[in-house]
DNA sequence: CTGAAAGCGCTTACAG
DNA sequence: CTGAAAGCGCTTACAG
């Protein structure tokens, strides 16, 4: 593999000049630049990113932190991961996986060994223990999720409260009144998963404002729990609407609606867009917008990195005068109902 | 942040000696070693992994290659990812995500910029274009998946053929004869996804050996397609058994069985263990064993790395005399049926 | 506009 | 058993 020295020799310039061409940070005379570029092509030269990292004290790597347990509740986790990787790469950053059981330890080690320039945290919970090392740490972090206290880091997520309100507004617009809200299991709520609580708060709050009648059910994610929770609701015609936020019921609900011959129940809920896209669901859904969250997360992190005093340097002297940390709420939108009939015809 | 020089000064030894202690590759007198260790603790020193990588030409990073499109069919993708990261980390390796649309380009860039010591490929298809750069490349790779031709790399996967045979044997053991096989959509088969073809081959082959009567249905993954495919089968009592390999139908099948009052149909299929674990499925399943695949994949890759002539060096001279490449098949096992009744009682 | 030199933080023969 | 020196492949002030 060619090194910068090989290129310099081939182009009959100094290594500095080759470097200037590669980084693009310095003007190089067109004629010289062309000689260098030609040599680069001829030798198939690529900058060794490790060496560059050492020289610049920028690893161009972001650490993606997510833990094991919750991911079974989030089959759409890979959507976030892929989107994050995509955006990071578009900006020249790699994504490295920090997914051990001991996330806090992972973060501390990554900080100490300087393997990453920044962190992205998924599956954020209230009082997330991972925030502590990050707040002391020397590199920026961004949360996908919105705990009450996100001091010291930027955070982005769907506006789950607004999503809950939107769902209720849809119901209200149909003149319906009596609403069953199907949420995640209590076990998930107890982990402190921020979205579970926020959606529910939106639903219940808006219902109260509109004088509507909401009852919340926490529904397990297994076959048995789902049947047990939903069947009585679907069999009781006094329910006028069903609002849900529980991915596990999504593929099953359509069949249950058919089985119970439910005809006059309005159904609307939050679900990952890939589900809505592929499933031809017979009801409206609200998009969780994972790609948007990912895009904004990466963007906020890059922004911090651009402002930071380049790596480990400049850490002495006057305190860096940090820009206030952000909390970005993504506005939820409705996805139109898929028409089963159309689906069949379109083939 | 402390550097090796700080530690050397604090311990009143040379940097070489500190390095010897940190790497553990050289004997250091106990008394000296203790001084060094004390200094390390005092200064909270951690080796800068980038600098070490440059010096050793080992990045201690593995590239995880998977593309966008198929992952929507594989909600269990994150199980593999997490397991791979876990095993890699246990061996001191990081995992970096190579998930762009242009996987081949990602691989070539990673090779050129020397960002990884090895590659792990997921979602392998027949004639996978990613294999070409890897075969020329200078670092080892392992496939999770078994294309016909895996020359030049190690490969591991569940023995899907055996899984298909196992399913049929279970059916045969019950004295049943007429079998409906529900597979993945034709669109997935056409991508060349290796598992889709292999399971089917196992089912059909074994059925032929046993003189059984199998009909294969390729079932779409959306609500409409699933209903359309399954309903007629469930309504036709002449089917004695249903063998499936299509994750999308798993959560829906139990309800359909209830709805159609199916009583005498034996059901068995392949599905990710987390589904079986959480869903209380009313039928037997065969475990896809993602953790085992991940473990063996990492292990095979580390084995290659251990044998390799340490990074970019030693690439000249006699050709490296590679050990034959392996194809590891993981034996499938049955997961007992969850009893709905028990589930309810255990609460 | 270009180059010589120092430095990023390590490791590893090689002497002693 | 320990240390001085060279080197991994870059970048970046600093001269000129």
């Amino acid at each position: 593999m060619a090194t910068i020295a090989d290129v310099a020799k081939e182009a009959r310039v100094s290594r500095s000049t080759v470097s200037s061409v590669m980084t693009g940070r310095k003007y190089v005379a067109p004629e010289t630049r062309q000689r260098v570029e030609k040599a680069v092509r001829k030798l198939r030269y690529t900058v060794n990113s490790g060496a560059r990292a050492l020289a610049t004290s920028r690893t161009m790597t972001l650490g993606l932190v997510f833990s094991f347990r919750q991911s079974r509740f989030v089959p759409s986790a890979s959507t976030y991961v892929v989107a994050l990787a995509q955006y990071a790469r578009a900006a020249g950053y790699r994504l490295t996986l920090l997914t051990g059981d001991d996330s806090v330890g992972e973060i501390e080690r990554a900080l100490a060994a300087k393997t990453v320039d920044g962190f992205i945290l998924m599956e954020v919970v209230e009082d997330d223990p991972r925030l502590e090392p990050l707040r002391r740490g020397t590199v920026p972090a961004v949360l996908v999720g919105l705990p009450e206290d996100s001091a010291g880091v930027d955070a982005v997520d769907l506006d789950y409260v607004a999503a809950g309100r939107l769902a209720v507004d849809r119901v209200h617009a149909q003149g319906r009144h009596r609403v069953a809200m199907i949420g995640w299991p209590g076990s998930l709520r107890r982990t402190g998963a921020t979205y579970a609580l926020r959606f529910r708060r939106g639903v219940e709050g808006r219902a109260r404002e509109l004088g509507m009648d909401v009852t919340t059910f926490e529904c397990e994610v297994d076959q048995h729990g789902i049947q047990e929770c939903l069947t009585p609701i679907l069999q009781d015609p006094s329910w006028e609407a069903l609002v849900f936020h529980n991915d596990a019921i999504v593929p099953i609900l359509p069949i249950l609606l058919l089985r119970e011959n439910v005809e006059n129940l309005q159904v609307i809920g939050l679900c990952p867009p890939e589900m809505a896209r592929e499933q031809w669901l017979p009801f409206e859904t609200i998009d969780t917008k994972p790609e948007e969250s990912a895009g904004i997360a990466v963007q906020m992190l890059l922004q911090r990195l651009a402002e930071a005093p380049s790596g480990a340097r400049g850490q002495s002297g006057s305190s860096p005068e940090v820009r206030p940390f952000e909390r970005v709420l993504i506005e939820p939108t409705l996805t139109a109902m898929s028409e089963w009939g159309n689906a069949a015809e379109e083939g």
Side-chain angles (χ1 to χ4, degrees), chain A:
Chain A
M1 278 281 125
T3 78
I4 196 173
D6 300 327
V7 176
K9 192 188 297 176
E10 172 76 24
R12 313 196 124 271
V13 296
S14 74
R15 286 164 21 189
S16 325
T17 303
V18 177
S19 182
S20 298
V21 172
M22 297 311 286
T23 60
R25 283 165 114 50
K26 235 174 158 182
Y27 185 90
V28 177
E31 197 267 338
T32 315
R33 160 186 301 277
Q34 257 148 48
R35 278 218 315 284
V36 171
E37 282 166 349
K38 193 167 160 194
V40 165
R41 275 194 301 276
K42 175 168 175 192
L43 302 176
R44 297 181 176 288
Y45 171 69
T46 308
V47 175
N48 177 317
S49 62
R52 172 177 280 179
L54 184 56
T56 57
S57 64
R58 288 242 174 199
T59 63
M60 300 308 280
T61 299
L62 270 21
L64 180 57
V65 191
F66 66 98
S67 52
F68 194 96
R69 288 169 213 105
Q70 284 194 58
S71 52
R72 38 176 222 161
F73 291 118
V74 190
S76 62
S78 48
T79 307
Y80 286 94
V81 172
V82 169
L84 288 166
Q86 218 89 297
Y87 285 110
R89 183 154 307 264
Y93 281 83
R94 267 158 266 129
L95 228 55
T96 190
L97 252 24
L98 268 27
T99 96
D101 296 315
D102 172 26
S103 298
V104 174
E106 301 277 5
I107 291 172
E108 281 168 343
R109 261 165 284 154
L111 241 18
K114 294 213 195 309
T115 52
V116 304
D117 293 339
F119 293 96
I120 301 169
L121 270 65
M122 285 175 45
E123 298 173 344
V124 177
V125 295
E126 290 300 340
D127 299 312
D128 202 307
R130 299 171 297 180
L131 290 185
E132 202 270 323
L134 291 177
R135 283 175 178 143
R136 284 176 309 158
T138 50
V139 310
V142 63
L143 313 183
V144 179
L146 279 170
E148 296 283 339
D149 176 12
S150 62
V153 296
D154 295 312
V156 58
D157 207 356
L158 184 78
D159 188 342
Y160 280 89
V161 174
R165 297 174 66 88
L166 175 57
V168 170
D169 280 336
R170 284 305 277 187
V171 171
H172 187 253
Q174 301 279 319
R176 293 167 189 253
H177 215 80
R178 191 150 180 273
V179 184
M181 145 83 187
I182 314 293
W184 289 101
S187 55
L188 181 64
R189 175 175 44 77
R190 283 187 293 276
T191 65
T194 70
Y195 52 88
L197 296 103
R198 288 186 286 140
F199 183 78
R200 181 171 166 178
R201 209 183 307 140
V203 167
E204 292 175 351
R206 184 60 176 157
R208 211 175 307 118
E209 287 174 22
L210 295 171
M212 292 165 67
D213 178 13
V214 166
T215 309
T216 297
F217 301 84
E218 293 187 327
C219 179
E220 298 301 319
V221 295
D222 63 286
Q223 289 284 334
H224 185 263
I226 290 170
Q227 293 254 16
E228 198 172 60
C229 174
L230 290 181
T231 306
I233 295 171
L234 300 183
Q235 286 173 349
D236 177 351
S238 73
W239 294 110
E240 294 172 310
L242 191 153
V243 169
F244 67 84
H245 181 201
N246 179 326
D247 295 355
I249 73 169
V250 176
I252 296 174
L253 188 49
I255 314 276
L256 289 180
L257 290 170
L258 282 178
R259 187 182 79 178
E260 303 297 339
N261 281 310
V262 176
E263 296 203 325
N264 197 25
L265 183 73
Q266 182 185 6
V267 177
I268 181 169
L270 206 56
C271 93
E274 60 272 27
M275 276 192 170
R277 203 183 307 123
E278 290 171 23
Q279 293 279 336
W280 299 107
L281 301 173
F283 36 77
E284 286 180 330
T285 54
I286 298 172
D287 192 335
T288 55
K289 302 199 175 172
E291 280 94 354
E292 284 196 33
S293 298
I296 292 173
V298 169
Q299 183 188 308
M300 288 198 298
L301 195 48
L302 295 180
Q303 183 68 29
R304 291 279 168 205
L305 289 172
E307 293 163 7
S310 146
R313 297 159 183 197
Q315 66 200 10
S316 54
S318 59
S319 63
E321 194 71 42
V322 268
R323 178 168 54 81
F325 293 99
E326 287 189 69
R327 290 170 68 88
V328 175
L329 291 169
I330 296 175
E331 179 145 3
T333 54
L334 224 53
T335 300
M337 179 182 333
S338 316
E339 297 295 338
W340 285 42
N342 294 353
E345 278 142 33
E346 286 167 22

